[in-house]
Amino acid sequence: MNQHEEHPQHADEQQPAPAPATGVGTTGGDRPEGPISAAIIAAGVGAVALGLFTTLAEAIKDVADWLQWNDRVGPLSGKTLMAVAVWLVSWVILHLVLRNKEHETSRALTVALALIGLGVLGTFPTFFQLFAPE
């Protein structure tokens, strides 16, 4: 019988302690938060795109006609599909740019909430009807 079999409780005591978190902007100290920040910010970019397309469709008749991809749905079909395309493209670009960066997700959340606020403003009828031709 060797020493570890005689005293199994001592074998656990010799395990190294987990490494402490090394700094701000990382999750657990070993993974950058850039991909998480990219996803959060991309959601805000998609919301702004929806607000922008909604306002542009109200302000410019040619844009509304171009965004009408389905007659039964109207220009909403183009607005939503273009906003989804902008969201996906921005997510890919932001992921490639931020993937190795140690960004704070709280800062990304603040940026995303501001962008979502602008997007909601752009889809609010009282706002986008201000740009409607008379």
Side-chain angles (χ1 to χ4, degrees):
M1 205 173 217
N2 67 26
Q3 186 177 15
H4 290 294
E5 291 174 350
E6 291 176 8
H7 304 286
Q9 69 274 11
H10 295 294
D12 292 339
E13 294 174 2
Q14 297 175 358
Q15 297 282 330
T22 58
V24 175
T26 59
T27 56
D30 60 346
R31 301 183 78 183
E33 292 181 353
I36 298 168
S37 299
I40 293 170
I41 295 171
V45 171
V48 162
L50 181 60
L52 182 65
F53 287 126
T54 301
T55 303
L56 285 175
E58 187 69 22
I60 304 169
K61 174 100 170 82
D62 290 339
V63 172
D65 292 342
W66 183 76
L67 291 172
Q68 188 165 338
W69 297 351
N70 185 322
D71 290 336
R72 293 186 348 198
V73 178
L76 182 61
S77 59
K79 294 174 199 171
T80 54
L81 290 174
M82 287 297 294
V84 168
V86 168
W87 164 62
L88 290 174
V89 169
S90 68
W91 191 358
V92 169
I93 292 170
L94 286 168
H95 179 81
L96 293 174
V97 171
L98 300 177
R99 66 182 165 188
N100 294 322
K101 306 283 184 185
E102 294 183 0
H103 287 270
E104 296 178 44
T105 53
S106 61
R107 189 177 311 160
L109 183 62
T110 302
V111 170
L113 287 175
L115 293 173
I116 289 170
L118 290 173
V120 169
L121 178 66
T123 58
F124 199 67
T126 304
F127 178 77
F128 67 73
Q129 288 173 349
L130 292 174
F131 300 97
E134 301 197 22

